[in-house]
Amino acid sequence: MEKLLMFIGEKKGNILDVGCGLGATTSYLLKYYSPAEVFGINISAKQLERSTVNAPGCSLICMDAVQMEFEDDFFDNIICV
């Protein structure tokens, strides 16, 4: 994660974790971002249930990454692990 996050200069603004799974990566983002800035999407509602435990306070949404429904320019950074 640290190597991936090195590509993000200033860690500010909203960040999206695409395919957040069980929330391990999403949880790691909390070292650099506030929960209000961290969003995770996953196609599995069952996995998102666990994500809420691993990444408390983050916005976790059941959504297909192929058909994302966010405003243009809403995120400052997007990651997918």
Side-chain angles (χ1 to χ4, degrees):
M1 278 300 298
E2 286 301 319
K3 286 186 179 187
L4 176 65
L5 291 174
M6 284 184 351
F7 291 101
I8 299 174
E10 268 188 276
K11 292 162 183 65
K12 64 178 187 174
N14 292 330
I15 186 164
L16 174 64
D17 182 8
V18 177
C20 64
L22 301 175
T25 301
T26 314
S27 175
Y28 197 92
L29 292 173
L30 295 175
K31 290 183 175 188
Y32 298 96
Y33 297 87
S34 73
E37 297 172 316
V38 178
F39 294 75
I41 64 167
N42 201 60
I43 200 164
S44 168
K46 186 170 182 148
Q47 287 185 345
L48 284 175
E49 289 176 22
R50 182 65 186 174
S51 293
T52 60
V53 173
N54 290 333
C58 297
S59 295
L60 301 166
I61 305 161
C62 191
M63 185 182 296
D64 186 337
V66 176
Q67 298 176 345
M68 289 191 278
E69 301 170 4
F70 294 104
E71 296 174 25
D72 290 345
D73 301 320
F74 183 77
F75 296 104
D76 299 285
N77 291 290
I78 299 174
I79 64 166
C80 182
V81 177

